[in-house]
């Protein structure tokens, strides 16, 4: 079976710092996604990518960059971490847009 | 307003009781998906259900498009069912998921 791996699992950053989160999948899925989850809330889409080198903005793209370096990997950059920010970032993939999804276990971010 | 509303926000059951979770949409439905999120864990897809009724073990999902609602029924709940249940609208053109805020289920022994 396949797996989707997010690194790091925990990330502590300082205010103003640029932080990069990574996601790898070996399902050979075409589409990959980055979501943000705040405590007690549902997930909100930051960026998604339909294929290698493609990039599409979600509802929450301001303050973030993303890169789909190859089909199996999708990275997310927090361009300037905000003080007291605390959230979980979840990566997901699917064979095509709108089909069944597989999620990673998340990266937990804390900014001090 | 929020496109996806889930109810109840939280639910406490005794083991063996049934649960009914609701999801209501304010926009037209492309498709919808139910997820289970373990405490502090990743999401597990339960049902991809654009319409009608689907069954999986003790779980049943029913989506009624014209009424813009979907439900998740859990029968004979177990303590291991505890966690957060999330529903999401699926845009089948872009793949974007629009989530509700979830129902936190606690099943007591």
């Amino acid at each position: 079976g396949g797996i989707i791996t997010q690194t790091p699992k925990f990330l502590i950053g300082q205010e103003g710092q640029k932080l990069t989160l990574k996601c790898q999948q070996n399902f050979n899925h075409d589409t990959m996604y980055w979501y943000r989850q705040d405590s007690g809330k549902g997930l909100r889409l930051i960026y998604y990518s339909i294929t290698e080198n493609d990039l599409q903005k979600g509802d929450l793209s301001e303050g973030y960059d993303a890169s789909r370096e190859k089909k199996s990997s999708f990275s997310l950059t927090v361009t300037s971490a905000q003080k007291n920010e605390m959230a979980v970032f979840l990566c997901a993939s699917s064979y095509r847009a709108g089909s069944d999804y597989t999620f990673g276990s998340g990266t937990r971010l804390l900014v001090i | 307003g929020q496109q996806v509303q889930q109810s109840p926000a939280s639910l406490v059951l005794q083991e063996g009781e049934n649960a009914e979770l609701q999801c209501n949409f304010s926009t037209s439905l492309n498709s919808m998906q139910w997820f289970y999120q373990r405490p502090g864990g990743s999401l597990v897809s339960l049902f991809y259900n654009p319409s009608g009724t689907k069954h999986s073990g003790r779980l049943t999902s029913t989506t009624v498009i014209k009424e813009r609602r979907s439900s998740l029924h859990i029968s004979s709940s177990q303590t291991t069912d505890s966690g957060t249940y999330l529903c999401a609208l699926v845009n089948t053109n872009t793949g974007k998921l629009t989530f509700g805020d979830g129902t936190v289920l606690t099943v007591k022994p």
Side-chain angles (χ1 to χ4, degrees):
Chain A
I3 191 167
I4 182 165
T5 304
Q6 290 188 236
T7 55
K9 290 191 186 304
F10 298 95
L11 183 56
I12 299 176
Q14 294 188 320
E15 186 180 15
Q17 193 176 2
K18 181 188 271 191
L19 303 167
T20 298
L21 291 66
K22 293 188 181 296
C23 179
Q24 297 254 25
Q25 52 95 3
N26 63 359
F27 293 100
N28 201 34
H29 284 169
D30 289 311
T31 310
M32 296 185 74
Y33 312 81
W34 275 106
Y35 285 88
R36 173 186 167 123
Q37 185 177 30
D38 293 281
S39 180
K41 296 291 185 182
L43 286 70
R44 289 179 291 170
L45 182 64
I46 306 171
Y47 270 100
Y48 66 104
S49 167
I50 295 171
T51 188
E52 184 178 340
N53 294 320
D54 176 71
L55 207 54
Q56 308 283 341
K57 289 185 178 182
D59 297 325
L60 209 62
S61 60
E62 191 171 333
Y64 301 94
D65 284 328
S67 175
R68 184 83 182 273
E69 307 91 358
K70 48 187 177 180
K71 188 175 182 180
S72 62
S73 68
F74 193 28
S75 60
L76 179 73
T77 299
V78 180
T79 55
S80 179
Q82 301 297 306
K83 189 174 176 63
N84 297 322
E85 184 173 6
M86 188 166 65
V88 178
F89 292 85
L90 290 156
C91 175
S93 67
S94 62
Y95 271 118
R96 54 176 174 76
S99 64
D100 208 0
Y101 298 80
T102 302
F103 276 83
S105 57
T107 293
R108 283 151 184 77
L109 171 67
L110 175 62
V111 181
I112 55 175
Chain B
Q2 196 164 357
Q3 287 186 305
V4 181
Q5 300 272 4
Q6 285 190 247
S7 60
S10 62
L11 183 61
V12 180
L13 300 174
Q14 288 297 132
E15 197 167 28
E17 291 182 325
N18 299 332
E20 187 85 10
L21 282 56
Q22 299 290 339
C23 190
N24 291 282
F25 308 94
S26 61
T27 61
S28 297
L29 178 65
N30 283 180
S31 188
M32 64 78 52
Q33 192 153 0
W34 281 95
F35 294 92
Y36 167 71
Q37 186 171 35
R38 298 182 190 89
S42 64
L43 276 69
V44 175
S45 176
L46 298 175
F47 292 102
Y48 182 79
N49 185 8
S51 67
T53 298
K54 292 192 173 183
H55 302 278
S56 177
R58 294 181 293 105
L59 304 180
T60 301
S61 169
T62 300
T63 298
V64 183
I65 298 174
K66 60 181 179 182
E67 296 180 13
R68 296 186 176 180
R69 63 175 177 84
S70 182
S71 64
L72 178 68
H73 183 84
I74 305 172
S75 62
S76 303
S77 62
Q78 300 175 359
T79 56
T80 51
D81 294 332
S82 296
T84 301
Y85 292 81
L86 294 158
C87 71
L89 266 178
V90 181
N91 184 315
T92 51
N93 294 319
T94 65
K96 177 184 172 183
L97 297 171
T98 302
F99 283 85
D101 287 341
T103 293
V104 179
L105 176 65
T106 304
V107 182
K108 295 185 174 181

